[in-house]
Amino acid sequence: MSTLIEAPLADAAEIRSTIEYYNSQKWTDGLPVVPVTESYLSEFLARTSRDPDEILFTMPHLNRSLTIRLAAINAAMAGCLPEYFPVVLAAWEATAAEPYPKRGIWQSTTGTAPLLIVNGPVRERLGFNSKGNVFGSGFRANATLGRAIRLAAINVFGLHPHQLDQATQATLGKYSACIAENEEESPWEPLHVEHGFDPADSTVTAMVFRSNLHIEARHTGSPEQLGLDLANSIRRTGALLHETSSALVVLGPEHAQLFARAGWGKDDLRQFIFDNSVNSREDLVAVGKDALSQHTRWRLPSGHPDAIPDEASATDTPDLVPALKVPSSVVIMVAGANNAGVSAIIETFGRRGDTPSTVKVQDHG
């Protein structure tokens, strides 16, 4: 802390006053933000050749749009460095390719939030964390990139809690949710290469997610046993809001390497999870999720006046109900430290086997 004493002196009272002014205007997520001047903003805009008035993202139902200039202001407020801004732009473009925020899912009572995944050389160059504590604190690039999206959601689209944001309980990811893939300790090709990018490309992938479920599995060297742990976590009835679910499987390096040593690739694991993410009709009846709403396709009891049979009812095995639509409903990546048998299931919203939304980072700085 001695370096703070040696730093150039500033008027602390004036800085605090500016921060409190931003707070009084409801321009924050509850935490202090960085005050932004025109000169500081220009450093962000210098990192792209695009017009500051270009629209990046629109929520038609709110009749509100995010421009590059507004994205830069909120990135600066979030604590991003100017050199992060090309990654912020890629994050917004990837988010714009996801249909669900445009339809208001960020306002939902289910408490969904954007999740960003960074791949490629930019991870090391800008200091994105892909290893220990990957979902936690301590890394400016991760924390501020995710926060840049959240602040714009608040300040540009008006998604304030208790107002346009109607989340019942929400998720901690509403502050910031940004991770990088641990490509170096993965036995497989990284996420962006799997989806058609060059290994030398830097990319951001965007998803909408509802929760992060911790998987503790240090007890086995069997890929089948570990695979069942993952499948059973995905198919849990509490996660079944719609007819089927979807998931991002974030494997710790130890778990990924366990599968690889057994000769399993990503497609093998995806298929195994799909085949075993199945609930019995009896279990669904017990929790009142054995049928669908004919309007929303959400699960509800078969005795409900809005109920219709689910797709499994018309198959040869009506008493076995898949929790996933297709194997590609499961996205697989590797992140975290190589120090324990720990992975995570991220419950994603709306993905039914479509390719994740991934955008290449373009740096003109």
Side-chain angles (χ1 to χ4, degrees):
M1 297 296 288
S2 62
T3 55
L4 296 179
I5 299 173
E6 298 165 3
L9 295 177
D11 187 332
E14 185 174 340
I15 294 172
R16 287 198 300 271
S17 177
T18 304
I19 291 172
E20 290 303 323
Y21 174 75
Y22 277 54
N23 185 67
S24 71
Q25 298 300 304
K26 301 186 185 301
W27 293 342
T28 84
D29 52 6
L31 296 172
V33 295
V34 176
V36 183
T37 61
E38 284 292 341
S39 60
Y40 189 44
L41 176 62
S42 68
E43 295 183 42
F44 284 76
L45 296 177
R47 303 298 300 201
T48 178
S49 60
R50 298 163 70 172
D51 187 333
D53 292 328
E54 178 187 339
I55 292 177
L56 272 174
F57 184 85
T58 298
M59 285 190 173
H61 68 288
L62 296 177
N63 196 28
R64 298 180 185 183
S65 297
L66 174 82
T67 63
I68 287 179
R69 177 183 172 85
L70 290 173
I73 291 171
N74 283 278
M77 289 171 57
C80 290
L81 293 173
E83 52 264 41
Y84 298 178
F85 192 51
V87 190
V88 174
L89 292 178
W92 273 116
E93 289 185 291
T95 298
E98 283 276 326
Y100 307 104
K102 297 175 188 175
R103 298 207 298 260
I105 194 60
W106 285 357
Q107 299 172 254
S108 171
T109 55
T110 57
T112 54
L115 170 67
L116 307 174
I117 303 164
V118 179
N119 277 98
V122 76
R123 297 169 307 128
E124 294 295 322
R125 180 162 60 82
L126 296 183
F128 283 93
N129 182 31
S130 66
K131 298 182 181 179
N133 204 43
V134 70
F135 287 106
S137 60
F139 294 84
R140 183 175 185 174
N142 298 61
T144 60
L145 177 59
R147 194 186 187 205
I149 306 300
R150 173 53 48 192
L151 286 181
I154 292 170
N155 295 322
V156 178
F157 298 108
L159 303 188
H160 294 275
H162 303 183
Q163 297 177 27
L164 290 182
D165 183 343
Q166 289 294 301
T168 303
Q169 291 186 324
T171 167
L172 294 174
K174 284 218 174 191
Y175 274 105
S176 176
C178 173
I179 63 176
E181 183 160 18
N182 187 347
E183 299 176 19
E184 291 73 21
E185 295 185 277
S186 171
W188 305 309
E189 63 183 6
L191 188 65
H192 69 313
V193 175
E194 180 185 353
H195 295 290
F197 291 86
D198 189 271
D201 290 336
S202 293
T203 66
V204 182
T205 299
M207 297 182 180
V208 176
F209 84 107
R210 292 189 292 165
S211 68
N212 180 340
L213 182 63
H214 181 83
I215 306 299
E216 184 81 24
R218 311 183 192 204
H219 62 292
T220 183
S222 162
E224 290 82 8
Q225 289 179 343
L226 178 55
L228 285 174
D229 250 358
L230 299 173
N232 291 341
S233 300
I234 289 172
R235 72 176 177 86
R236 67 186 184 88
T237 59
L240 291 176
L241 177 65
H242 294 94
E243 180 170 19
T244 56
S245 188
S246 57
L248 168 66
V249 177
V250 183
L251 293 174
E254 286 192 344
H255 284 166
Q257 290 157 14
L258 185 157
F259 286 118
R261 285 194 301 270
W264 290 32
K266 284 186 181 181
D267 285 340
D268 299 309
L269 177 56
R270 248 188 291 269
Q271 187 66 51
F272 185 90
I273 289 173
F274 172 77
D275 292 341
N276 289 280
S277 294
V278 177
N279 286 295
S280 70
R281 181 72 59 186
E282 181 182 9
D283 286 344
L284 292 179
V285 169
V287 296
K289 291 185 175 181
D290 52 310
L292 302 176
S293 163
Q294 61 182 319
H295 295 106
T296 66
R297 307 293 289 185
W298 288 16
R299 286 203 166 272
L300 42 65
S302 56
H304 192 283
D306 188 39
I308 58 173
D310 57 27
E311 289 184 9
S313 298
T315 68
D316 294 336
T317 54
D319 291 332
L320 296 176
V321 185
L324 299 167
K325 185 73 172 178
V326 289
S328 55
S329 296
V330 178
V331 178
I332 298 170
M333 64 173 289
V334 177
N338 192 22
N339 62 2
V342 174
S343 292
I345 300 295
I346 311 297
E347 294 174 354
T348 54
F349 187 91
R351 188 171 303 284
R352 296 294 180 266
D354 49 318
T355 300
S357 171
T358 302
V359 171
K360 183 177 176 179
V361 176
Q362 305 285 351
D363 193 344
H364 293 273

